[in-house]
Amino acid sequence: ETSLIFEQNIELREFCAWEAVLKHADTLKEVHSKFLPIAENYGFIMDAPTWRASPDYYEKLEMENENLNQIIYQCIQHQREMLANALKKPKHVLISAEIGPRGDGYSIESKMTISQAENYHSAQIMALVASKVDMATALTLNYADEAIGIALAAKRYHLPIIIGFTLEVDGRLPDGSTIEDFIKSVDQATDQSPLCYILNCCHPTHCDNALRTYAHTPWFNRLRGIRANASTKSHAELDQLDHLDSGDPYDFASRLFALHTTYPNFRILGGCCGSNHIHLQAVADRLSLSSSS
């Protein structure tokens, strides 16, 4: 989303990248297609822009002539077509649909119960299942009950899902809970139904201390990677920016590579706010350099 807004000058109302599929499909394909050659030698999870494709945001955008289920289908189909037409394709690719929080990913204005979260997110999950997407990834979740509701809905409708959650600069979730609190709560309530967990929308420096603390605990292997921000700034600082903070792509790559080598369970490496194909190319280059040495 940040790349589309600041680098492509596309207005995303309410951060709804799915609207770009309807209005700027060619630009979106151009942006996404830059990632495919990077992953040519690696397994690749290609996200569809459905992070805000849920009932509340559909209503906010007043899309009277578009059905939400059809929008979701178009988002998945957009990725399928791009992949089919790519000159260089990843050897192993999964199309994943993004699922975002009902509220703000950076701050918690109100919390849903587990039941409310399951009911709310079921509409999107049913549409994703109908679209025959390979899997889903919930991103920027900031408290356990919503994650539990999403995981239970995905389990009910047989949709494989990764649960991604964000951290503040102190290594805790926005509601103050720890990584351990979050993962254990979701796993216990869902019989470990999520495929795994990832950190997202935080810089590696925000999680370093917490990861060292938990690295030798029995549940730590459930945490399988990070989709990191390029910027070291806090969520509050990022909210105030009127420009894109892309950080240093090579420092970004070095830090993700360090996490991968320090914690062998970190197999999913990717970018979030401020990152683009340049950052992911740097990560791929760093991995290739290690493989050849």
Side-chain angles (χ1 to χ4, degrees):
E1 287 87 355
T2 54
S3 179
L4 293 176
I5 292 169
F6 292 108
E7 294 180 337
Q8 304 299 324
N9 296 314
I10 293 176
E11 179 187 5
L12 295 182
R13 295 183 295 162
E14 301 288 343
F15 245 54
C16 292
W18 53 262
E19 194 173 20
V21 174
L22 306 179
K23 297 181 178 180
H24 305 280
D26 289 342
T27 301
L28 194 60
K29 284 181 181 177
E30 181 181 348
V31 171
H32 284 176
S33 64
K34 293 177 181 178
F35 290 87
L36 295 181
I38 299 170
E40 190 175 5
N41 297 316
Y42 303 95
F44 187 56
I45 299 173
M46 184 169 66
D47 277 355
T50 52
W51 187 64
R52 286 302 194 204
S54 60
D56 283 1
Y57 296 92
Y58 172 75
E59 290 179 10
K60 287 181 180 180
L61 267 58
E62 299 179 344
M63 305 295 291
E64 296 178 358
N65 297 321
E66 301 285 348
N67 177 274
L68 179 58
N69 289 355
Q70 183 60 29
I71 289 171
I72 290 172
Y73 175 79
Q74 286 180 252
C75 288
I76 306 304
Q77 192 63 22
H78 178 273
Q79 302 302 77
R80 288 197 183 106
E81 291 174 359
M82 181 183 64
L83 185 62
N85 295 327
L87 296 178
K88 291 185 176 181
K89 304 174 187 177
K91 292 181 179 179
H92 307 286
V93 60
L94 293 170
I95 297 177
S96 176
E98 296 177 347
I99 296 175
R102 186 175 188 175
D104 192 312
Y106 286 177
S107 61
I108 303 171
E109 297 171 354
S110 63
K111 286 186 176 183
M112 292 182 287
T113 65
I114 294 172
S115 178
Q116 288 171 334
E118 183 177 359
N119 289 337
Y120 176 77
H121 289 287
S122 285
Q124 182 181 16
I125 287 171
M126 285 190 290
L128 292 174
V129 171
S131 73
K132 293 182 170 53
V133 71
D134 295 322
M135 58 177 288
T137 306
L139 293 170
T140 331
L141 302 183
N142 49 31
Y143 65 98
D145 283 357
E146 183 167 24
I148 293 168
I150 291 172
L152 289 174
K155 182 179 181 180
R156 175 187 293 184
Y157 297 108
H158 308 290
L159 178 65
I161 192 166
I162 293 172
I163 297 293
F165 58 98
T166 190
L167 301 177
E168 298 292 351
V169 295
D170 63 358
R172 290 175 175 263
L173 278 76
D175 72 344
S177 59
T178 66
I179 296 174
E180 180 178 26
D181 295 335
F182 182 86
I183 292 178
K184 282 186 172 181
S185 295
V186 179
D187 266 353
Q188 183 175 4
T190 63
D191 293 327
Q192 295 190 341
S193 65
L195 294 172
C196 64
Y197 298 85
I198 60 171
L199 304 172
N200 91 284
C201 206
C202 59
H203 191 264
T205 56
H206 301 168
C207 62
D208 279 345
N209 289 336
L211 294 179
R212 281 195 293 270
T213 299
Y214 298 124
H216 301 293
T217 57
W219 57 267
F220 187 70
N221 195 53
R222 293 286 285 147
L223 187 60
R224 305 292 296 196
I226 184 170
R227 290 178 53 172
N229 283 354
S231 172
T232 61
K233 293 187 183 334
S234 69
H235 292 150
E237 291 171 324
L238 288 174
D239 255 348
Q240 300 302 315
L241 288 184
D242 60 359
H243 62 278
L244 189 66
D245 182 0
S246 297
D248 180 343
Y250 304 101
D251 178 72
F252 176 90
S254 294
R255 290 183 183 278
L256 263 61
F257 179 75
L259 290 175
H260 170 65
T261 54
T262 304
Y263 310 111
N265 47 307
F266 270 49
R267 307 290 294 176
I268 300 171
L269 304 176
C272 198
C273 297
S275 66
N276 58 24
H277 64 284
I278 297 172
H279 296 75
L280 270 294
Q281 182 66 66
V283 174
D285 291 345
R286 188 66 185 82
L287 290 169
S288 296
L289 181 64
S290 173
S291 299
S292 61
S293 61

